């Protein structure tokens, strides 16, 4: 029976509707909502389990989601889809590395967003995610005995605009009103109530080690404002690697090779069982049958710890990098929040505790459920059930446009708080230019070719004016979901164009991580290239202006000075050809110094001309 609520003032029946938070994970998804009685969040359980595997099985008659889908992974791998989150907002080329690890087929769609081929039909990752979300919506409606339309969905803090937009679209396609897309670490903090009361500012580290991914986020939380100071992580590191380490130990011990898919699966599942057992005991043993032979698979806690220590050390290096990025020291971190099933592994917890030795480590809540619970709290806030609070996040990569010479000109720097709006003024480089191509990029490198192109558009219909006269104001607005709106306006004429960055190109998770690393590795070379590009642009513009000068004011030059000017222009062109920055700069100076006298003459000529027309 559906619940109804009555508006006591008017006596009318109000339409009841529940709001939910969804943690749409790579491996598992969870749904949470707020308990009306105590206003606390809780996860909705399905078959007494709050975890719904983010997997899909395309059966003959129907699409199954969750455990039913996982059950088909061994028998019908080509019809069983998992890790859809890794495909969101990506193109085929972005997924080259991942492709070999997928059981199902992805289509080479060139630069378009990738599609998955299942039984001769093609599906976009957005559609696939929407099937998962639709299923979660149905579970929520059945368990809550109420309609569910409004949802907050969480994404990793490093998700770019395309990936956020794809997640939002999947929610819409599933028939839901996506109130907001929020960052997973922000949700985890909310679940612990950090920031819900207007207390002192706090620096919080959210350490999230799931099945396949690791994220560390540093937040500064004050008066309900969640500011992400820095993020770091590894998109291919998690509890699955712990399982693999155990499988390797056993495979070596018994020389297990060339196993069938189902035997590999048995070995992997036993390894996971062992790992989980070793979170509460010190040894594990089980007899399993592999290829007709019984094997006693055993492992001690010390063995597991030795095997996974290098993996945990890698996560700590990421923590160190994030602290460096945030310009903090470890001692500044006051609270740590443990998220993800793998933080139950004792060595993970003790290593994190040792590293953040002056911080309080929060692990009271179920680490699998905290993100969904936080999303439910946020949904509750946005539904107007709580005092509205501002959620501030951060952009993980700089956003900017291409300027003359292929240079990256940043409007919103990396780690800038969002929502944000920033403006900058530009102009044209050629006389009478009526169109201006605007290319938007994301990344940290000095040359746009090394960054990621988000989109492009042309500001058309600028009235013809001399170079440098039009005033083109670029506005970048990043909303709370991290969606970028770019506006270009020529202020003199009022010509304006607005574009929301549509995800055309994807980016591999590895690339996001590497982009930051590469900007550090190539810093010197990048600075040199920027210096050369700037000098070349300036020299090109001087040649352009000088040629125009000769055309328009030839009478001010005698044969000899024109020859000197032309010779100096040739020298600049040679220096540009030789890509010699210092030579370009000195040749440019030489021409500038020589032509100054003529520029002065032109000014005199123009003043005389102006005076002639006026009656004094
Ligand atoms: P998540 O992606 O957050 O759901 O995390 C799933 C990962 O947590 C998987 O690798 C699980 O094997 C791991 N996990 C779940 N329970 C435990 C446990 N008790 N001890 C260690 N790892 C666990």
């Amino acid at each position: 029976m559906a619940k109804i609520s009555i508006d006591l003032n008017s006596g009318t029946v109000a339409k009841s509707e529940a709001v939910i938070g969804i943690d749409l994970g790579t491996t598992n998804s969870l749904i949470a909502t707020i308990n009306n009685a105590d206003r606390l969040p809780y996860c909705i359980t399905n078959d007494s389990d709050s975890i719904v595997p983010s997997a899909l099985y395309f059966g003959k008659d129907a699409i199954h989601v969750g455990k039913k889908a996982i059950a088909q992974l061994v028998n019908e791998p080509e019809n069983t889809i998992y890790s859809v989150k890794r495909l969101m907002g990506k193109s085929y080329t972005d997924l080259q590395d991942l492709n070999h690890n997928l059981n199902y087929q992805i289509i080479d769609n060139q630069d378009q967003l990738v599609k998955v081929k299942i039984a001769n039909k093609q599906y976009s990752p957005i559609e696939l995610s929407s099937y998962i979300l639709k299923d979660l919506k149905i579970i929520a409606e059945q368990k809550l005995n109420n309609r569910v339309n409004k949802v907050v969905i969480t994404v990793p803090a490093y998700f770019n605009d395309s990936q956020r937009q794809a997640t939002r679209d999947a929610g819409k396609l599933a028939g839901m009103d996506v109130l907001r897309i929020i960052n997973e670490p922000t949700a985890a903090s909310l679940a612990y109530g950090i920031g819900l009361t207007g207390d002192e500012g706090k620096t919080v580290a959210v350490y999230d080690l799931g099945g396949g991914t690791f994220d560390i986020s540093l937040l500064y939380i004050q008066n309900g404002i969640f500011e992400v100071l820095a993020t770091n992580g590894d998109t291919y590191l998690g509890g699955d690697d712990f399982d693999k380490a155990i499988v390797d130990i056993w495979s070596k011990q018994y020389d297990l090779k060339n196993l069938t898919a189902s035997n590999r699966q048995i070995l992997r599942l036993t390894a996971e069982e062992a790992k989980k057992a070793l979170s509460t005991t010190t040894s594990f043993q089980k007899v399993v049958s592999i290829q007709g032979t019984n094997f006693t698979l055993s492992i001690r806690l010390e063995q597991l710890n030795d095997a996974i220590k290098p993996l945990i050390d890698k996560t700590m290096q990421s923590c160190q990098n994030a602290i460096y990025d945030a310009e903090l020291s470890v001692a500044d971190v006051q609270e740590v929040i443990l998220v993800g099933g793998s933080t139950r592994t004792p060595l993970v917890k003790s290593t994190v505790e040792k590293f953040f030795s002056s911080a309080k480590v929060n692990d009271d809540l179920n680490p699998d459920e905290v993100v969904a619970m936080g999303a439910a709290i946020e949904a509750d806030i946005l539904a107007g059930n709580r005092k509205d609070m501002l959620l501030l996040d951060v952009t993980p990569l700089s956003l900017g446009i291409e300027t003359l010479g292929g240079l990256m000109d940043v409007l919103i720097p990396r780690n800038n708080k969002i929502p944000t709006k920033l403006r900058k003024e530009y102009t044209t480089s050629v006389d009478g230019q009526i169109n201006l191509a605007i290319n938007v990029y994301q990344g940290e490198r000095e040359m746009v070719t090394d960054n990621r192109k988000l989109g492009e558009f042309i500001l058309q219909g600028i009235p013809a004016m001399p170079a440098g006269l039009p005033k083109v104001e670029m506005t970048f607005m990043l909303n709370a979901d991290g969606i970028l709106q770019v506006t270009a306006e020529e202020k003199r004429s009022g010509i304006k164009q607005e574009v929301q960055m549509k995800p055309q190109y994807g980016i591999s998770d590895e690339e996001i991580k590497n982009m930051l690393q590469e900007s550090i590795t190539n810093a010197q070379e990048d600075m040199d290239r920027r210096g050369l590009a700037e000098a070349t642009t300036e020299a090109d513009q001087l040649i352009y202006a000088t040629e125009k000068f000769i055309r328009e004011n030839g009478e001010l030059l005698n044969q000899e000075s024109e020859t000197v000017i032309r010779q100096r222009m040739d020298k600049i062109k040679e220096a540009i050809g030789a890509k010699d920055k210092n030579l370009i700069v000195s040749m440019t100076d030489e021409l500038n110094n020589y032509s100054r006298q003529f520029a002065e003459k032109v000014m005199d000529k123009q003043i005389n001309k102006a005076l002639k027309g006026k009656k004094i």
Side-chain angles (χ1 to χ4, degrees):
M1 193 186 72
K3 283 176 197 158
I4 52 164
S5 59
I6 297 172
D7 183 336
L8 294 177
N9 292 325
S10 63
T12 53
V13 177
K15 276 185 193 155
S16 145
E17 166 173 283
V19 291
I20 56 168
I22 290 181
D23 170 6
L24 184 62
T26 308
T27 324
N28 295 314
S29 294
L30 293 95
I31 322 156
T33 193
I34 301 291
N35 182 346
N36 276 330
D38 58 12
R39 308 298 309 151
L40 289 175
Y42 68 97
C43 277
I44 293 168
T45 52
N46 184 33
D47 304 333
S48 73
D49 195 352
S50 58
I51 290 173
V52 179
S54 311
L56 296 150
Y57 165 64
F58 285 73
K60 285 202 175 61
D61 311 315
I63 301 169
H64 301 280
V65 172
K67 287 196 183 117
K68 274 189 195 156
I70 289 288
Q72 298 297 330
L73 200 55
V74 175
N75 298 333
E76 285 188 51
E78 69 284 358
N79 294 326
T80 312
I81 313 299
Y82 57 92
S83 285
V84 175
K85 192 172 178 178
R86 292 196 192 274
L87 312 182
M88 295 292 265
K90 303 290 179 75
S91 73
Y92 183 81
T93 25
D94 295 329
L95 297 166
Q96 281 308 293
D97 296 341
L98 179 63
N99 197 4
H100 306 293
N101 295 321
L102 298 172
N103 287 335
Y104 50 87
Q105 202 187 342
I106 56 174
I107 306 290
D108 187 352
N109 230 353
Q110 287 168 347
D111 278 340
Q112 301 298 309
L113 291 178
V114 73
K115 290 222 165 157
V116 178
K117 192 171 175 191
I118 309 149
N120 289 326
K121 265 186 153 178
Q122 294 187 13
Y123 300 86
S124 71
I126 295 174
E127 283 172 277
L128 297 173
S129 279
S130 82
Y131 292 137
I132 298 174
L133 289 168
K134 230 181 248 170
D135 206 68
L136 298 175
K137 175 176 145 77
I138 292 169
I139 292 172
E141 287 182 332
Q142 283 171 351
K143 302 291 163 181
L144 298 173
N145 199 11
N146 203 346
R147 285 186 310 133
V148 170
N149 282 315
K150 294 187 162 51
V151 64
V152 165
I153 306 175
T154 60
V155 295
Y158 61 78
F159 252 31
N160 64 30
D161 302 340
S162 315
Q163 294 166 304
R164 283 167 200 270
Q165 187 63 49
T167 307
R168 182 175 271 281
D169 290 347
K172 271 194 225 156
L173 204 58
M176 287 191 277
D177 174 11
V178 182
L179 297 173
R180 193 170 281 187
I181 300 288
I182 67 166
N183 286 341
E184 289 158 8
T186 301
S189 308
L190 281 169
Y192 274 99
I194 302 173
L196 284 176
T197 51
D199 51 7
E200 291 281 287
K202 253 184 200 163
T203 305
V204 177
V206 180
Y207 180 100
D208 182 349
L209 189 61
T213 59
F214 169 65
D215 294 309
I216 175 76
S217 310
L218 294 170
L219 314 181
Y220 184 71
I221 305 172
Q222 189 175 32
N223 295 326
I225 296 175
F226 295 72
E227 183 185 344
V228 186
L229 303 174
T231 64
N232 210 296
D234 191 327
T235 45
Y236 288 95
L237 177 64
D240 298 350
D241 298 295
F242 296 180
D243 304 344
K244 270 185 212 122
I246 299 174
V247 168
D248 288 348
I249 291 172
W250 291 337
S251 300
K252 220 171 174 184
Q253 185 183 355
Y254 293 112
D255 199 23
L256 300 172
K257 273 187 239 155
N258 306 322
L259 299 180
T260 60
S262 71
N263 278 316
R264 276 205 305 272
Q265 181 79 342
I266 290 171
L267 206 56
R268 197 188 62 73
L269 289 174
T270 313
E272 188 179 11
E273 195 185 332
K275 174 188 73 178
K276 287 183 181 174
L278 293 179
S279 289
T280 45
T281 56
T282 53
S283 67
F284 170 89
Q285 186 167 311
K286 190 177 182 183
V287 179
V288 295
S289 165
I290 293 170
Q291 264 143 5
T293 312
N294 278 350
F295 289 94
T296 304
L297 302 178
S298 69
I299 184 163
R300 282 171 295 107
L301 182 60
E302 304 90 81
Q303 273 178 292
L304 172 70
N305 287 350
D306 286 347
I308 63 175
K309 187 176 180 301
L311 300 170
I312 299 173
D313 286 346
K314 259 174 110 176
T315 68
M316 300 327 293
Q317 184 54 51
S318 292
C319 293
Q320 190 62 61
N321 295 345
I323 286 171
Y324 177 82
D325 269 356
E327 297 177 11
L328 293 177
S329 68
V330 181
D332 294 323
V333 177
Q334 290 151 291
E335 305 229 20
V336 177
I337 298 173
L338 295 184
V339 180
S342 300
T343 58
R344 291 197 185 94
T345 294
L347 188 65
V348 172
K349 208 179 143 193
S350 62
T351 310
V352 173
E353 276 171 341
K354 214 186 281 169
F355 183 84
F356 293 103
S357 57
S358 52
K360 177 186 169 213
V361 176
N362 295 279
D363 62 348
D364 296 344
L365 298 174
N366 180 332
D368 291 313
E369 297 185 344
V370 279
V371 170
M373 281 174 18
I377 294 171
E378 176 63 9
D380 197 38
I381 294 167
L382 294 172
N385 300 334
R386 289 195 192 208
K387 168 173 67 89
D388 207 353
M389 286 186 298
L390 180 64
L391 289 188
L392 271 188
D393 280 320
V394 75
T395 167
L397 293 168
S398 302
L399 296 163
I401 63 166
E402 177 179 3
T403 55
L404 224 51
L407 292 174
M408 171 82 175
D409 200 62
V410 172
L411 276 105
I412 300 179
R414 152 180 145 71
N415 278 343
N416 201 86
K417 298 170 199 82
I418 53 174
T420 191
K421 190 174 180 177
L422 285 164
R423 288 199 180 93
K424 226 172 173 178
E425 211 165 86
Y426 297 86
T427 188
T428 52
S429 57
V430 181
D431 286 338
Q433 192 172 338
I434 52 167
N435 293 329
L436 194 64
I438 291 156
N439 295 307
V440 182
Y441 284 85
Q442 182 178 45
E444 306 314 310
R445 304 286 297 277
E446 299 284 347
M447 310 301 294
V448 290
T449 46
D450 296 321
N451 288 331
R452 175 179 178 251
K453 190 168 184 175
L454 286 178
E456 61 180 301
F457 64 99
I458 293 172
L459 180 63
Q460 289 177 321
I462 303 171
M465 284 182 252
L469 210 56
K471 279 180 159 187
V472 179
E473 190 184 69
M474 294 294 309
T475 309
F476 272 33
M477 198 167 81
L478 252 190
N479 71 13
D481 291 343
I483 309 288
L484 179 68
Q485 178 168 305
V486 180
T487 312
E489 183 181 8
E490 202 292 302
K491 298 298 271 185
R492 293 183 195 277
S493 57
I495 300 280
K496 187 173 170 178
Q497 194 150 334
E498 253 177 27
V499 173
Q500 266 211 359
M501 285 300 126
K502 286 261 157 63
Q504 270 193 326
Y505 302 90
I507 182 170
S508 77
D509 289 345
E510 268 316 287
E511 240 178 304
I512 299 172
K513 194 183 71 184
N514 289 342
M515 278 169 93
L516 296 174
Q517 187 53 48
E518 275 171 15
S519 70
I520 297 165
T521 320
N522 298 299
Q524 184 57 49
E525 198 195 319
D526 274 8
M527 288 304 285
D528 294 344
R529 284 167 74 193
R530 172 176 275 273
L532 175 64
E534 281 174 345
T536 307
T537 300
E538 203 182 317
D540 277 340
Q541 285 186 323
L542 180 63
I543 291 173
Y544 178 81
T546 309
E547 267 161 355
K548 185 178 162 197
F549 178 88
I550 297 173
R551 268 197 317 275
E552 291 175 4
N553 302 287
E555 79 279 9
L556 295 175
L557 299 172
N558 58 28
Q559 190 58 47
E560 192 196 340
S561 16
E562 192 180 334
T563 309
V564 174
I565 288 177
R566 289 208 183 275
Q567 279 168 350
R568 293 197 177 186
M569 283 203 289
D570 287 342
K571 276 191 177 171
I572 296 179
K573 286 178 193 165
E574 264 174 44
I576 292 175
K579 296 191 192 309
D580 183 335
K581 185 205 147 197
N582 292 338
L583 195 62
I584 299 171
V585 171
S586 63
M587 290 301 115
T588 308
D589 284 345
E590 247 188 66
L591 175 59
N592 255 329
N593 290 338
Y594 185 73
S595 20
R596 189 162 299 126
Q597 45 178 319
F598 304 105
E600 281 161 6
K601 277 190 196 166
V602 174
M603 293 236 289
D604 288 347
K605 187 178 106 178
Q606 275 169 351
I607 289 166
N608 281 335
K609 206 164 115 190
L611 288 177
K612 256 185 214 159
K614 286 189 179 163
K615 290 189 176 108
I616 302 170

